[in-house]
Amino acid sequence: MFALVDCNNFYVSCERVFQPRLENSPVVILSNNDGCVISRSNEAKALGIPMGAPAFKYLNIFKKEKVNVFSSNYPLYGDMSQRIMKILSTHTPNIEIYSIDEAFLDFRGFKYYDLEKEAFLLKQKIKRWTGIPVSIGIAPTKALAKIANKIAKKFVYKTRGVYVIKTEKQISKALKWTKIEDVWGIGRQYKKLLIKNGVTTADNFCKLPDQWVKKNMSILGLRLKKDLKGNSCISLDEENPGKKSIATTRSFKEVIKKYWELEERIVTYASICSQKLRRQNSNCKAIIIFIRTSSHLPSNQQYYNSSLINLPNPTNSAITIAKYANMGLKRIFKKNTNYKKGGVILADLTPSGSKQLNLFQNEGNTHGNLMKAIDKIHLRFGESLLKLGNQDLNQTWKMRQAHLSSRYTTDIKEVIKIK
């Protein structure tokens, strides 16, 4: 049996832990630069505020309905997530951290345990130790555990946040209830394809011929179908090898026209990406650079372009990555254009310990010792002290966070003070 533990409205719940006055009140959390809504309390959902709503369009509703608005507090959310994952790891050695607020637990071999009772105890422990409410779905497969979790959330007054699927009758009922777009692994394109072929529920999907599913949705689609029918085909990813790509993409404070200003931003983003790369002990073999104008300024000439650079050797050197990022920028830069956003994406990641080199080329200068020294300096003195030559020493990027709460658990200066 597999369990999916999912935190309820996680970002909102983290704010409520340290501000109990927010309970039973509408709360929304905004994305980077306070752009759009990325988390909502149930009260905010009831007001009709959609996920992804642009904040500037809903200012009047926020004011009229007295909605509590917060900027994303990622240090707080990340720390609370780690605390929850540590609690989960004490209940089974087999755990897959699926996202910041979700994890799969493998309970195979626990057949003499009352898993429903264990789930309620786990739910109570997480609430008591962290203050975060969770929902738990348990089923014979990961795909069914996802559905069980949705049922636990949807019918919370009946399930009390825990639902177990274990019989053929329960599987059949759950599949008929689940819309095809709500099935784990079914994206927009597959949804269009399936609805076009008369598939509207998970039950319809499971009745499709295996050959049709394999032909149109590959072997992964066939595994999903079998998983939904109760035959475990999607295993637990316990190793958590790290991200498949690393990106730094940000909107500029002001519109940028000059190449040297744009170059400074792209090189800075490349340097930040290289740091993230080294933290997970990886190298990259490809870099994608993109720049774009603002879609919110229709009077401006609209422009978007990207460039892919394949590196001669895998690397995590800020110097090398910045060099090739600059090369990619030169390819797509267009004069007399008002740029509002840019980004760097590192792709084709490989572990640092293993590199596939060209037979007729040496590895080149990887700047390994230099990067270690720079990382140590950044850790001790801050990232603004030491930069690459084409970065601006006086410019530091700061996210717009007009509604930021305190970092209650990660900064000693911002912990709760008891009077």
Side-chain angles (χ1 to χ4, degrees):
M1 299 288 278
F2 293 89
L4 176 66
V5 180
D6 185 13
C7 302
N8 301 339
N9 306 324
F10 180 55
Y11 293 174
V12 169
S13 295
C14 287
E15 299 291 350
R16 283 176 165 173
V17 168
F18 301 96
Q19 301 182 73
R21 65 178 180 81
L22 300 174
E23 290 290 343
N24 302 317
S25 298
V27 182
V28 297
I29 310 297
L30 304 180
S31 63
N32 290 348
N33 290 313
D34 294 343
C36 58
V37 175
I38 57 171
S39 183
R40 306 161 295 163
S41 67
N42 292 335
E43 295 80 8
K45 294 175 186 177
L47 293 173
I49 299 171
M51 183 68 85
F56 73 94
K57 288 186 177 181
Y58 283 80
L59 291 178
N60 291 334
I61 293 178
F62 293 161
K63 186 176 181 179
K64 179 183 176 182
E65 302 294 344
K66 297 181 180 179
V67 177
N68 298 275
V69 180
F70 292 93
S71 304
S72 296
N73 191 339
Y74 295 119
L76 174 65
Y77 307 153
D79 182 68
M80 295 298 287
S81 173
Q82 287 184 359
R83 292 167 188 250
I84 292 167
M85 299 309 166
K86 284 182 180 178
I87 294 172
L88 298 181
S89 64
T90 63
H91 282 253
T92 174
N94 305 318
I95 178 173
E96 175 190 343
I97 299 174
Y98 186 66
S99 67
I100 192 171
D101 62 346
E102 287 181 279
F104 284 103
L105 307 180
D106 187 347
F107 284 122
R108 284 178 293 184
F110 287 66
K111 63 181 180 179
Y112 297 112
Y113 283 77
D114 184 341
L115 291 182
E116 186 173 19
K117 182 180 178 181
E118 286 293 315
F120 276 115
L121 291 174
L122 176 57
K123 177 181 167 67
Q124 291 168 8
K125 181 190 286 188
I126 293 171
K127 179 66 175 177
R128 187 169 62 250
W129 289 12
T130 68
I132 301 294
V134 301
S135 297
I136 302 177
I138 300 175
T141 69
K142 288 174 71 176
L144 287 173
K146 269 276 191 181
I147 293 177
N149 190 280
K150 284 183 180 293
I151 294 172
K153 279 188 173 181
K154 181 73 174 178
F155 306 102
V156 64
Y157 293 109
K158 186 176 181 180
T159 64
R160 292 183 295 145
V162 173
Y163 187 70
V164 181
I165 295 175
K166 51 187 175 182
T167 66
E168 290 289 336
K169 185 177 179 180
Q170 286 175 315
I171 292 175
S172 177
K173 188 177 180 180
L175 293 178
K176 290 175 181 177
W177 174 80
T178 306
K179 295 178 181 179
I180 191 62
E181 59 264 32
D182 292 333
V183 173
W184 182 45
I186 300 294
R188 273 183 285 182
Q189 294 304 316
Y190 280 147
K191 172 193 168 184
K192 291 178 183 177
L193 171 68
L194 291 167
I195 290 178
K196 185 179 178 181
N197 285 273
V199 176
T200 58
T201 66
D203 184 59
N204 297 152
F205 175 65
C206 289
K207 290 177 180 177
L208 289 172
D210 286 355
Q211 289 292 52
W212 188 94
V213 174
K214 187 176 180 180
K215 179 182 177 181
N216 292 278
M217 301 177 66
S218 79
I219 190 67
L220 296 178
L222 187 58
R223 286 179 185 170
L224 175 59
K225 178 190 170 185
K226 291 181 178 180
D227 219 65
L228 286 169
K229 294 178 74 174
N231 303 314
S232 183
C233 294
I234 305 175
S235 60
L236 209 66
D237 182 8
E238 300 170 48
E239 296 184 10
N240 194 16
K243 297 179 180 179
K244 302 295 188 294
S245 64
I246 288 175
T248 300
T249 64
R250 293 169 180 166
S251 297
F252 310 134
K253 290 180 182 178
E254 305 291 341
V255 168
I256 292 178
K257 284 186 176 181
K258 297 178 181 178
Y259 177 83
W260 66 268
E261 291 181 301
L262 196 57
E263 176 193 25
E264 194 280 333
R265 290 292 81 199
I266 292 298
V267 168
T268 296
Y269 300 162
S271 178
I272 293 171
C273 281
S274 72
Q275 282 183 291
K276 296 177 183 178
L277 198 61
R278 293 192 294 276
R279 284 186 197 133
Q280 74 168 44
N281 296 314
S282 297
N283 292 320
C284 74
K285 293 181 67 178
I287 306 173
I288 301 168
I289 302 91
F290 78 86
I291 48 177
R292 69 181 305 164
T293 55
S294 174
S295 58
H296 299 296
L297 298 173
S299 58
N300 288 344
Q301 179 186 2
Q302 296 299 303
Y303 178 71
Y304 171 87
N305 209 343
S306 62
S307 177
L308 170 66
I309 303 285
N310 290 306
L311 305 181
N313 293 303
T315 184
N316 58 25
S317 165
I319 297 170
T320 303
I321 292 172
K323 171 187 171 183
Y324 284 97
N326 198 9
M327 289 172 56
L329 177 62
K330 287 178 180 177
R331 291 181 183 178
I332 59 177
F333 177 75
K334 187 178 178 182
K335 292 182 179 179
N336 302 318
T337 303
N338 297 324
Y339 296 104
K340 186 57 180 171
K341 187 173 183 179
V344 175
I345 304 169
L346 306 185
D348 198 0
L349 306 190
T350 58
S352 295
S354 58
K355 298 180 183 179
Q356 182 66 50
L357 302 178
N358 190 308
L359 181 63
F360 303 103
Q361 283 184 317
N362 59 30
E363 187 176 357
N365 191 352
T366 60
H367 311 112
N369 291 332
L370 176 59
M371 292 300 108
K372 288 180 182 178
I374 289 175
D375 288 341
K376 287 182 179 178
I377 292 171
H378 283 165
L379 185 64
R380 185 172 180 181
F381 299 106
E383 297 181 7
S384 60
L385 184 67
L386 190 62
K387 296 185 177 182
L388 298 179
N390 43 4
Q391 289 182 261
D392 186 349
L393 287 172
N394 297 316
Q395 182 169 346
T396 56
W397 181 84
K398 188 177 173 92
M399 194 188 307
R400 184 166 66 249
Q401 295 175 303
H403 313 282
L404 186 64
S405 59
S406 299
R407 293 164 291 181
Y408 300 102
T409 64
T410 60
D411 192 324
I412 192 68
K413 297 177 183 176
E414 298 181 16
V415 297
I416 290 178
K417 296 178 182 177
I418 300 174
K419 297 180 180 180

